[in-house]
Structures are given as C-alpha cells and as structure tokens.
C-alpha cells in the first residue's frame, strides 16, 4: 500500500506538471494574438526558448538555491521512492518558467532575443528561487519570524505572490528599462493604437491558461491525499468573478474579457485553500476590476508600454491576492483561519521588493553591457523577419 500511495503521488504531481506545462502554450498564444502580425513568430519562439533556458537554470542552480536539492548522483539513487522528487522538480520548474513567460508579454515587439534569454537564465537561476525558498522552504528564517510575531507564517498556497507578483513586478522593471515601442506615444501627447493582431488567438491563449490553471492551483497540494475540492471551487469562483467584472468595467472589450478570468485566477492562488467560495468570488471580481482600470491607466495616462499588461495582471493582481488571503482567509469571513493579515502584507511586500530589485539589476545590467532593444529599422520590420528570418504568413510576402 505504501508503494501504491507513492506511485499515486508521482502520477498526481506529474499530471499537474503536464497541465502547467500546457499553460505555457497559453502564454504563447495570448502574446501571439495581442502583438502585431509582424511579431507573432517571435512570440511563439520566445516562450518555448525561455522554457528551455529556464529548465537549465533551475536544474543546475535555482532548485538547489530554493530547496537544497541537487541531482548529481547516480540514476539509481534518483529513481528511488518512485522518483517523486524528480517529478516534483518538473512541477515546480513549470512554475519557475512562468516568470520569463510573464515578462515576455510586457517587453514584446522591441526586445532583442539573446539578451532576453540571458535574463531568463539569471531570473530563474537566482532571483525567483531566492524568494521561492523564503516563502515555500522557510529559508533565512523569515517565515519563522512572521509566525513568532504575528501568529502565522506568510501563506501563498499556489503562487499569487511567489510566481505572479514576482513575475509582474520584474516585468515592470523590464518594461521601464526598454521604454515604449517606437511610435506608440507621440510628442504632441497623441497615442498611437497598436490593436491586437488576432482576437481568436488571444482568446485561445486565455482559455488554455484558464483550463491549465486548475492544475496550477489544485495540484499545488503535491500529494493525492492533500487534494482539496475547496481549491477547485474557489478557483472557479474567482475566475468567474474576474470575467464578469472585466466584462462590465471593460465595456465588452474582448481583450479585457479574456484577461478577466486570468486576473481572478492570479489573485485566488494564494488563499484558494483557505477562502469561502463567496470570498473567492469577491477576490476575483476585485482583481478583474483592478486589471481593467490599471491597464487603462498605465497605457493611456502614465504611458507605460506594457504590451500585455503583465504588471496590472500579474504584478498588481498577484499582490492583491497575497493580501486578500489575509482578509478572506480569516474565519470571521468564512475562511479556515490560521492566517495573519500582517504576515500577508509584509510577505507580499518582500516579494515585490525582491522582484523590483532583481528586475532592475538584471535588465539594467544587460542594457548597459549588451543592450536590450532592437534598433529602429529592426523594430519597424518586426521581430519575426529581423530575428527569425520568416513571417507568420510568408505566402503573403511572396505574393502566393
């Protein structure tokens, strides 16, 4: 029976890893549908290449930094206990690789390819696992301090802060380092619209992410006997809340509607195992509203050219989710309790500070040494022809 239980856990977390791996195709198609046609191929190649680079960085550096586990022993030793530690690495890798996938959407259409791969290696090898280890492996005694001072450790069940807020705030640093796309903002104050190239592809990406998210959240239990139906229902309610809020506040705009469920799911990750479903509905609704309002504000008022809105969607909604777990996880609001608002606030703030500092350090260093942006002619021609020497629809260019 013990062997059967161990094998069941291996299969369970492997299926979770596969579902989250599938989410990376969602990142790719969401970006592909949002960018202009001349940058579609680049969106697809970036996400796959970033995942490969993330795997190397996390295998050799990041996983050891976060958990103190390394894989430089014989295969017989690695396969012991049905190889659970190996598939756990695979599962957590798919989380780590979400960091450059998030950043990719913010810096789309003007970033050079090789410097972004270098940034991916540094982010997944150093910055992300540093905070991951603090939050999920109790490194450096931060969690023990929170528990001693406030009665509960910082709680982030599935990564509202560890994954999404960190990725979103790194993305903000990267966007600010690159500056806006050429022609996006005019000197006279006019704003040049760069409409999505394909709403169907944008919607497909959002749907793939939404479906895969139930592996992201539910399988964060990591063992079969720890599975919680509450996590599944709360994820559903937050998704619905985000969708309806974005539909209403965004005035039926399809870009907002399809990002709404993602905003809700980002926010509910942290407290999905604690909240009452009604609390999850509220959390998702606030996240959907927050995304629409802040995306509009950053693009039109502050003139921050965050192409996919990764800072509002992941950075702000992720931070809201970390704090919301300390509100709606309280037993007084129908939650399971054993959570501290102050721990959530300070833990979220720590994640934001680490992400911003790491993002500015890495992208600032790359900008000074090798440069981050395509030159004006390359950006005008598009990343597809400039970097990959082919467009998404080559027959049109050939006159076929």
């Amino acid at each position: 029976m013990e062997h059967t239980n161990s094998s069941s856990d291996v299969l369970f977390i492997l299926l979770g890893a596969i579902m989250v791996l599938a989410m990376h195709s969602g990142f790719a198609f969401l970006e592909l549908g949002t960018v202009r046609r001349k940058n579609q191929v680049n969106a697809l190649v970036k996400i796959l290449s970033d995942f490969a680079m993330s795997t190397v960085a996390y295998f050799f550096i990041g996983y050891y930094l976060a958990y103190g586990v390394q894989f430089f022993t014989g295969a017989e030793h690695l396969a012991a206990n049905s190889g659970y530690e190996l598939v756990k690495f695979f599962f957590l890798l798919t989380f780590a690789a979400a960091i450059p996938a998030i950043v990719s959407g913010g810096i789309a259409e003007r970033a050079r390819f090789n410097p972004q791969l270098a940034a991916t290696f540094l982010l997944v090898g150093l910055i992300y696992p540093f905070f991951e280890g603090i939050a999920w492996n109790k490194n450096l005694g931060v969690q023990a301090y929170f528990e001693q001072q406030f009665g509960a450790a910082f709680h982030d069940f599935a990564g509202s802060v560890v994954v999404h807020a960190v990725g979103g705030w790194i993305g903000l640093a990267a966007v600010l380092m690159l500056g806006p796309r050429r022609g996006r903002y005019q000197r006279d104050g006019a704003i040049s619209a760069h409409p999505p190239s394909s709403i169907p592809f944008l919607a497909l990406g959002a749907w793939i992410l939404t479906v895969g998210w139930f592996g992201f959240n539910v399988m964060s239990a990591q063992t079969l006997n720890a599975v919680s139906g509450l996590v599944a229902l709360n994820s559903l309610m937050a998704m619905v809340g985000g969708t309806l809020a974005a539909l209403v506040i965004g005035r039926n705009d399809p870009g907002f509607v399809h990002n709404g469920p993602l905003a809700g799911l980002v926010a509910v990750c942290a407290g999905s195992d604690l909240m009452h479903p009604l609390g999850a509905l509220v959390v998702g609704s606030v996240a959907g509203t927050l995304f629409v309002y802040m995306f509009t504000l950053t693009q039109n008022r502050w003139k921050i050219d965050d192409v996919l809105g990764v800072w509002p969607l992941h950075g702000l909604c992720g931070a809201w989710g970390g704090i919301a777990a300390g509100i709606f996880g309280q037993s007084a609001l129908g939650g399971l309790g054993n959570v501290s608002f102050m721990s959530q606030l300070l833990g979220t703030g720590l994640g934001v500070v680490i992400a911003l500092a790491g993002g500015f350090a890495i992208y600032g260093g790359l900008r000074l040494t090798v440069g981050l942006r395509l030159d004006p002619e390359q950006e005008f021609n598009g990343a597809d022809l400039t970097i990959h020497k082919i467009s998404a629809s080559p027959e049109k260019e050939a006159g076929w």
Side-chain angles (χ1 to χ4, degrees), residues 364-377:
L366 287 171
R367 188 173 74 168
L368 288 172
T369 53
V370 297
L372 294 173
R373 287 194 66 134
L374 298 173
D375 66 38
E377 183 178 357

Side-chain angles (χ1 to χ4, degrees), residues 306-377:
D306 179 353
V307 180
L308 267 67
V310 299
W311 179 59
L313 180 63
H314 297 276
L316 294 180
C317 291
W320 157 241
I323 296 169
I327 300 172
F328 293 94
Q330 301 286 348
S331 56
L333 292 176
L336 296 181
N338 194 31
V339 64
S340 162
F341 175 77
M342 284 304 300
S343 293
Q344 296 306 116
L345 183 64
L346 294 176
T348 299
L350 178 62
V352 169
V353 169
I354 290 172
L356 271 179
F360 276 117
I362 288 174
Y363 283 97
L366 287 171
R367 188 173 74 168
L368 288 172
T369 53
V370 297
L372 294 173
R373 287 194 66 134
L374 298 173
D375 66 38
E377 183 178 357

Side-chain angles (χ1 to χ4, degrees), residues 34-118:
T34 305
V35 299
R36 289 169 292 178
R37 194 173 299 276
K38 62 184 179 180
N39 297 296
Q40 288 183 326
V41 172
N42 183 244
L44 296 172
V45 175
K46 270 195 305 178
I47 299 300
L48 183 57
S49 301
D50 280 340
F51 187 89
M53 184 63 78
S54 296
T55 303
V56 172
Y58 203 58
F59 182 86
F60 284 101
I61 304 173
Y63 197 63
Y64 180 79
L65 181 61
Y67 300 103
V69 176
Q70 51 83 22
F71 301 106
F72 304 109
T73 57
E76 182 179 354
H77 180 267
L78 292 177
N81 191 30
S82 301
Y84 177 80
E85 194 61 48
L86 303 185
V87 288
K88 181 181 177 182
F89 163 80
F90 181 16
F91 181 67
L92 292 173
L93 162 68
T94 59
F95 282 56
I99 299 297
I102 290 168
V103 175
S104 175
I107 63 175
E109 300 201 297
R110 75 274 204 198
R112 293 174 58 204
F113 189 73
N114 289 335
Q116 173 55 21
L117 279 182

Side-chain angles (χ1 to χ4, degrees), residues 30 67 83 136 253 281 309 312 316 350:
L30 186 68
Y67 300 103
W136 285 347
D253 182 287
L281 181 65
L316 294 180
L350 178 62

Side-chain angles (χ1 to χ4, degrees), residues 93-309:
L93 162 68
T94 59
F95 282 56
I99 299 297
I102 290 168
V103 175
S104 175
I107 63 175
E109 300 201 297
R110 75 274 204 198
R112 293 174 58 204
F113 189 73
N114 289 335
Q116 173 55 21
L117 279 182
T120 293
F121 186 88
L122 295 171
L123 291 172
V124 178
L126 299 174
I127 306 302
Y128 170 78
F130 178 70
F131 183 66
E132 178 189 20
I134 290 173
W136 285 347
N137 199 45
K138 300 183 178 180
N139 293 352
L140 303 181
V142 175
Q143 290 285 42
Y145 173 79
F146 286 158
E147 194 164 2
Q148 181 181 11
Q149 293 296 315
F150 309 115
F154 170 65
H155 185 88
D156 191 358
F157 180 71
S160 285
V161 180
V162 174
V163 179
H164 297 287
V166 167
W169 286 87
I170 290 173
L172 175 63
V175 166
L176 294 175
M177 287 286 99
L178 263 85
R181 290 167 288 179
R182 289 179 174 87
R184 181 76 172 99
Y185 304 115
Q186 309 298 327
R187 291 183 179 180
D188 60 2
I191 299 174
S192 175
H194 290 6
S197 60
S198 174
I199 295 297
F201 276 138
L202 186 157
L204 175 64
W207 269 109
I208 294 171
L209 285 166
T210 298
V211 173
W213 222 296
F214 287 84
F216 195 96
N217 283 3
V218 176
M219 267 89 164
S220 285
Q222 298 189 20
T223 57
L224 196 58
N225 63 2
V227 174
S228 169
L230 185 63
V231 175
L233 183 54
N234 282 342
S235 299
L236 176 67
M237 296 301 282
M239 180 203 87
V240 169
T243 303
L244 293 177
L247 175 68
V248 174
I249 305 300
R251 300 179 181 180
N252 302 330
D253 182 287
F256 287 142
V257 170
H258 287 95
N259 277 283
L262 309 184
L265 286 162
V266 164
V268 82
C269 288
S272 56
D273 62 329
L274 298 176
M275 300 176 188
H276 187 277
L278 291 178
L281 181 65
V282 174
V283 169
S285 300
V286 171
T289 302
L290 183 64
F291 170 71
V292 173
Y293 178 76
M294 291 305 297
F295 180 89
T296 305
L297 186 65
T298 53
Q299 295 282 337
N300 298 336
R301 186 74 61 83
W302 295 346
K303 297 184 179 179
I304 298 174
D305 193 16
D306 179 353
V307 180
L308 267 67

